[in-house]
Amino acid sequence: MKPTPDAHVGAFLRARRAQLTPRMCGLPETDSARRVAGLRREEVARLAAISVDYYTRLEQGRVRASAPVLATLASALRLDEDQKRYLYELAGRSDSRPRRRRPAQRVRPAVHRLLDQLTETPALVLGSRLDILDWNRAAVALYIDFSALPPDGRNYVHLLFTHPVFRELHQDWKHDAREAVAALRLEAAADPDDPELARLVGELSLRDTDFPVWWAEHRVTSAGYGTKRYRHQLVGDLTLDCDTWAAPDGSGQRLMVLTAGADSPSHDALRILASWNAAEPDTVRTAEPDSGRTEDLSR
């Protein structure tokens, strides 16, 4: 019987898996003897943030991989451009076709002005995939200067896992990061075939061992409100209420605001940060909405 295209994909996945070691993929070495060369199936599944059963069926040629799954597998198996093109050709798909682009994520002028008027209150505008679309001076004082990052690097979850200052700021990092993964999972339900989401998941699965574990849990949350505890290098510990409001225009954007009770130490710390940052030159924002210009953060 002539092999099916899915069988050819499975054979390639097995061959590539045999060429890799845990160390090459950032996985911990184990003391137990390996019955096969290279990575185990469960290790590849973990890196690609898919179930072991589904990955097993892919290797056996019993299911056909979608384009987003191929993208995560290409990252998990450290494929170069030639190998990636070969995998897509075996699967009968193409990664060279024009990307399906979302409309540019535009922040309305009224929201932009609101951020500027929250002088002592850190606030962010989050878009699809939890991209950071806009921010105010107080958010820069609390977190980092988002304008210093490339537009495609302004993603809340990506920063939480990969940016050392952003990560170390969170006292309860594991709790906050797990909640962020659950919020990203909810985003995935709205557009499961989003190729940029697949790339984000694939990259974070390779760069942090916790991410693929939490992603595989399929926990979801809207992260509407809660408490965040920070340890800032300038003002020390802060305990802030975090509230998120959905935009009324149907854009899917959310306004994230961090506050503290009046006369509390955390409120005083926010005022100190705001006063220090007020003397700094204004940071370049995503746009000047009143001019009609905006950066395309659809990535």
Side-chain angles (χ1 to χ4, degrees), residues 47-50 66-76 84 88 97 99-100 102 129 155 158 184-185 187-189 191-206 211 215 298-299:
L47 289 170
I50 58 179
S66 65
V69 168
L70 289 175
T72 59
L73 286 172
S75 296
K84 183 178 178 182
Y88 274 79
R97 63 187 185 280
R99 280 195 210 169
R100 174 178 59 83
R102 293 185 176 189
R129 298 179 298 272
N155 178 276
H158 190 275
L184 190 63
R185 259 295 181 191
E187 287 281 322
D191 191 359
D193 295 323
D194 179 5
E196 294 303 331
L197 177 64
R199 289 182 179 88
L200 176 62
V201 170
E203 179 184 352
L204 294 180
S205 295
L206 290 173
F211 182 88
W215 184 257
S298 59
R299 294 163 63 184

Side-chain angles (χ1 to χ4, degrees), residues 247-280:
D249 57 4
S251 65
Q253 296 176 11
R254 281 158 290 176
L255 176 65
M256 173 178 160
V257 179
L258 295 151
T259 60
D263 300 324
S264 68
S266 295
H267 184 261
D268 292 340
L270 287 180
R271 296 184 66 182
I272 292 170
L273 284 175
S275 65
W276 287 345
N277 195 58
E280 297 295 326

Side-chain angles (χ1 to χ4, degrees), residues 61-195:
R62 293 192 287 139
V63 294
R64 189 181 186 202
S66 65
V69 168
L70 289 175
T72 59
L73 286 172
S75 296
L77 294 171
R78 302 297 178 91
L79 302 186
D80 60 27
E81 288 303 313
D82 290 338
Q83 292 169 327
K84 183 178 178 182
R85 188 179 307 112
Y86 178 68
L87 174 62
Y88 274 79
E89 288 176 354
L90 286 179
R93 300 185 182 275
S94 172
D95 64 339
S96 59
R97 63 187 185 280
R99 280 195 210 169
R100 174 178 59 83
R101 297 185 65 84
R102 293 185 176 189
Q105 301 185 68
R106 299 179 183 276
V107 177
R108 292 191 301 114
V111 177
H112 192 83
R113 290 195 298 269
L114 175 61
L115 291 180
D116 286 338
Q117 292 169 15
L118 297 173
T119 56
E120 297 178 356
T121 302
L124 304 170
V125 177
L126 302 176
S128 60
R129 298 179 298 272
L130 303 186
D131 289 335
I132 299 172
L133 306 182
D134 207 353
W135 57 88
N136 62 4
R137 282 179 175 270
V140 171
L142 176 64
Y143 291 115
I144 57 175
D145 183 0
F146 299 105
S147 68
L149 303 173
D152 62 359
R154 299 171 193 158
N155 178 276
Y156 189 89
V157 184
H158 190 275
L159 292 172
L160 198 53
F161 279 89
T162 65
H163 195 289
V165 175
F166 200 90
R167 177 173 178 143
E168 291 171 10
L169 177 67
H170 293 74
Q171 288 195 51
D172 301 322
W173 180 84
K174 285 206 168 185
H175 172 272
D176 293 346
R178 193 163 176 246
E179 290 297 295
V181 172
L184 190 63
R185 259 295 181 191
L186 195 59
E187 287 281 322
D191 191 359
D193 295 323
D194 179 5

Side-chain angles (χ1 to χ4, degrees), residues 9-10 12-22 25 27 34 36-56 58-59 69-79 87 201-202 205-206 212-213 215-216:
V9 170
F12 177 72
L13 293 176
R14 291 193 299 272
R16 180 57 182 168
R17 176 163 62 88
Q19 298 168 2
L20 300 173
T21 65
C25 297
L27 294 174
R34 291 178 176 262
V36 295
L39 297 178
R40 298 187 176 101
R41 282 176 174 168
E42 54 267 30
E43 290 170 330
V44 177
R46 176 184 175 185
L47 289 170
I50 58 179
S51 71
V52 177
D53 176 69
Y54 181 65
Y55 179 74
T56 299
L58 283 173
E59 280 202 356
V69 168
L70 289 175
T72 59
L73 286 172
S75 296
L77 294 171
R78 302 297 178 91
L79 302 186
L87 174 62
V201 170
S205 295
L206 290 173
V213 175
W215 184 257

